[in-house]
Amino acid sequence: MKIKSIQAFALPAAAASPYAEKSSQGRREPWQIHAEVANPMSRYPRFKAHRDSWRSDWPGVGCVVEADDGSRGFGASIFAGPVIPIINDHLAPLLIGEDAADVSGLYDMLTRLVSPYGQTGISAYAISAIDLALWDLNARRQGKPVYEFAGGKKRNSITCYATGNDTDWHMELGFPVTKLACPYGPADGEAGLAANTDLVARTREKIGPDVKLMLDCWMAFDVDYAVALSSRLKPYNVGWIEDCLIPEDIEAHHELRRRLPHQPLATGEHWYGTHMFAHAAKHRLVDVFQPDICWAGGFTACRRIAEIADAAGIAIIPHAGMNTTFGQHFTLATSNAPMGELFVGSPPGIPLEQIASARPVPVRGELVPSDEPGFGPWPLDV
Ligand SMILES: [Mg+2]
């Protein structure tokens, strides 16, 4: 079975990001419309108030791989602007005629093909879309859901946590675990440190002692700030603090681990491929790896990362894994993936299934992936 064609294209907004669909029907606007979230650009006043003031508006990317026996697979990623030409102009023509069943070998080829311009960042988004399409194609060809094709489910359902600052809505939906986006960072000084502490304290009070609570810091901190905030948060039993540092600053990750030996740490949504994860595992820099299956290099990259993690006793919980069928199948098939993350950006009051039409959603915090072939129904007709 040879690869006949690979075609990438821009996704319509609804197919790319169903959870971000705008709706005025909720009981109030979702948190992320107005909330400030600490971020790497927070030091620049004109971009500080909202992440969307500086993030690209490139649409999502779809990718269809077709084999010479007519079987097809669908994968997806983001950042269509630069990712589509990497796939269509460079990678796709070079893979025509290769064995579509050799997914692991093709991943190795892809990571080497992009070497002249770098294996991480934008290249990894392109690799992810192709790799996910190959997994979909191969599983569909055998009439199996991907989790079955990947060796079988490791549990009957996935326990999910909700990410976002509409905590009351998460509790109403029955999530046993919730994660806040941290509003302030070093640019906000002492007042911001106090406000962050207050948000966590109020949230802990609201959810009680039994719900697990984490804090996402989206690359906004330096080591000193993360240490200071962690020590203030001690009374509130924060399950982990996440993504505190500039992802490429590996020395800072070493320093943070050294200074916070007892604070659980999670990171990896902005790490790509396997090398950073291998380094972090070797030095036990964090407790949870969070690669994004649509960004880090697809199902194959995440499998390799999961095995690296397991060898070091580290868990893998893919970034926003429950927001895509890709992450759902991966999590169900992976022994050391104890939970799934659902980013909740939809208006409180609107049932999750109403927002994610074709994609399974958690019910009282438990999610059962589709058992249809491949990753399940495609989000659009192509
Ligand atoms: Mg995160």
Side-chain angles (χ1 to χ4, degrees):
M1 179 185 51
K2 306 289 187 205
I3 293 176
K4 189 174 130 194
S5 69
I6 298 176
Q7 183 71 42
F9 49 89
L11 286 173
S17 186
Y19 53 93
E21 245 174 41
K22 303 273 190 301
S23 166
S24 56
Q25 300 298 308
R27 133 188 351 153
R28 62 173 191 260
E29 285 190 315
W31 68 282
Q32 102 270 17
I33 301 289
H34 301 294
E36 180 165 347
V37 175
N39 69 72
M41 289 293 284
S42 295
R43 58 168 71 177
Y44 298 99
R46 79 185 174 98
F47 296 116
K48 185 174 183 302
H50 212 284
R51 291 189 283 185
D52 285 349
S53 66
W54 61 268
R55 287 200 287 190
S56 79
D57 54 6
W58 289 316
V61 180
C63 180
V64 172
V65 176
E66 184 167 1
D68 59 5
D69 66 353
S71 38
R72 300 199 315 153
F74 174 82
S77 188
I78 58 171
F79 300 150
V83 164
I84 289 177
I86 291 176
I87 295 176
N88 290 347
D89 301 346
H90 183 206
L91 302 176
L94 297 171
L95 293 192
I96 307 297
E98 292 293 330
D99 180 1
D102 183 17
V103 180
S104 188
L106 289 164
Y107 175 82
D108 184 62
M109 278 183 73
L110 285 166
T111 55
R112 288 163 189 275
L113 283 168
V114 298
S115 288
Y117 46 91
Q119 297 188 353
T120 63
I122 291 296
S123 305
Y125 293 78
I127 293 169
S128 301
I130 297 172
D131 180 81
L132 291 168
L134 286 164
W135 277 87
D136 189 48
L137 181 155
N138 280 283
R140 271 174 202 285
R141 200 158 166 271
Q142 293 190 10
K144 292 178 178 173
V146 170
Y147 65 75
E148 197 69 49
F149 178 73
K153 56 182 172 185
K154 302 299 184 285
R155 54 194 74 82
N156 290 324
S157 64
I158 301 165
T159 301
C160 299
Y161 75 85
T163 292
N165 292 10
D166 287 322
T167 309
D168 55 336
W169 176 229
H170 301 170
M171 295 303 98
E172 198 177 321
L173 288 167
F175 284 96
V177 187
T178 184
K179 188 173 79 189
L180 288 166
C182 190
Y184 306 113
D188 302 285
E190 175 58 33
L193 205 49
N196 285 338
T197 308
D198 185 54
L199 173 66
V200 172
R202 278 185 287 117
T203 304
R204 173 54 77 199
E205 168 125 28
K206 201 185 298 177
I207 64 181
D210 297 333
V211 173
K212 195 171 174 185
L213 173 65
M214 290 89 75
L215 186 67
D216 189 345
C217 311
W218 212 63
M219 309 174 277
F221 297 172
D222 52 33
V223 173
D224 284 344
Y225 193 91
V227 170
L229 184 59
S230 167
S231 91
R232 296 220 188 177
L233 297 182
K234 263 192 197 129
Y236 312 111
N237 191 21
V238 174
W240 72 60
I241 59 172
E242 168 177 331
D243 209 8
C244 293
L245 303 168
I246 293 295
E248 290 81 2
D249 190 353
I250 196 68
E251 290 303 330
H253 286 80
H254 280 270
E255 182 69 0
L256 189 61
R257 174 86 294 172
R258 198 179 62 74
R259 290 179 62 186
L260 290 179
H262 302 297
Q263 167 69 64
L265 299 170
T267 206
E269 71 185 72
H270 302 101
W271 284 349
Y272 309 97
T274 51
H275 297 108
M276 286 292 266
F277 292 99
H279 180 88
K282 179 180 174 191
H283 298 282
R284 308 302 204 263
L285 295 184
V286 297
D287 305 281
V288 180
F289 282 166
Q290 303 172 299
D292 188 302
I293 198 165
C294 297
W295 308 353
F299 203 95
T300 305
C302 283
R303 282 210 117 180
R304 294 181 180 193
I305 293 162
E307 286 172 9
I308 289 166
D310 208 27
I314 292 170
I316 181 169
I317 303 177
H319 169 250
M322 300 301 102
N323 290 92
T324 68
T325 56
F326 311 117
Q328 294 177 2
H329 281 251
F330 173 82
T331 302
L332 196 68
T334 302
S335 320
N336 56 326
M339 269 198 294
E341 176 185 22
L342 185 80
F343 178 86
V344 182
S346 53
I350 309 268
L352 296 177
E353 55 272 22
Q354 207 171 307
I355 285 143
S357 44
R359 171 171 54 84
V361 295
V363 177
R364 306 303 298 167
E366 291 289 320
L367 186 143
V368 179
S370 156
D371 60 2
E372 293 182 65
F375 290 109
W378 294 3
L380 73 174
D381 291 325
V382 277

